[in-house]
Amino acid sequence: MGSVDMEGISLSAGSNTFDVLKNGQSNTNTPYEAQRNFASVLKDSLNKVNETQVASDNLSTKLVNGEDVELHSVMIASQKASITMQATLEVRNKVVEAYQEMMRMSI
């Protein structure tokens, strides 16, 4: 597996994150370790989304205040922030949908 990086959302197949099979043997992470790994990936991804939002806000503020900032740089940063937020919301929607589907299953 490779890695996916979308300016703020980064999912990678690292040795601690998503290794399922290695040389025919299953990964021996405990549920607690898997939960911590997932939580850290999620937290890092959300922090990167926040960083793109803050960078966009800073550039917009500089442009409004008349500082020396190129308009195209502000627009690019704004679009990056928008796209990362939309992607994050889509991931959240899919997670909520999967949770609701699991709750509908009968045991």
Side-chain angles (χ1 to χ4, degrees), residues 69-88:
V69 177
E70 297 291 330
L71 177 61
H72 67 275
S73 298
V74 175
M75 295 305 297
I76 290 170
S78 174
Q79 286 300 309
K80 283 182 180 181
S82 175
I83 290 169
T84 57
M85 181 58 77
Q86 288 174 1
T88 302

Side-chain angles (χ1 to χ4, degrees), residues 49-103:
V49 170
N50 187 48
E51 288 171 9
T52 60
Q53 294 288 327
V54 169
S56 173
D57 289 345
N58 288 341
L59 284 175
S60 296
T61 302
K62 287 180 181 180
L63 181 69
V64 168
N65 290 335
E67 294 180 28
D68 187 25
V69 177
E70 297 291 330
L71 177 61
H72 67 275
S73 298
V74 175
M75 295 305 297
I76 290 170
S78 174
Q79 286 300 309
K80 283 182 180 181
S82 175
I83 290 169
T84 57
M85 181 58 77
Q86 288 174 1
T88 302
L89 290 176
E90 288 300 320
V91 169
R92 183 212 53 166
N93 291 342
K94 289 293 183 180
V95 168
V96 169
E97 184 180 320
Y99 173 76
Q100 290 172 343
E101 189 67 30
M102 288 188 328
M103 295 306 292

Side-chain angles (χ1 to χ4, degrees), residues 4-11 45 48-49 83-85 87-88 91:
V4 177
D5 187 12
M6 296 187 304
E7 256 340 286
I9 298 176
S10 177
L11 302 175
S45 296
K48 289 180 183 179
V49 170
I83 290 169
T84 57
M85 181 58 77
T88 302
V91 169

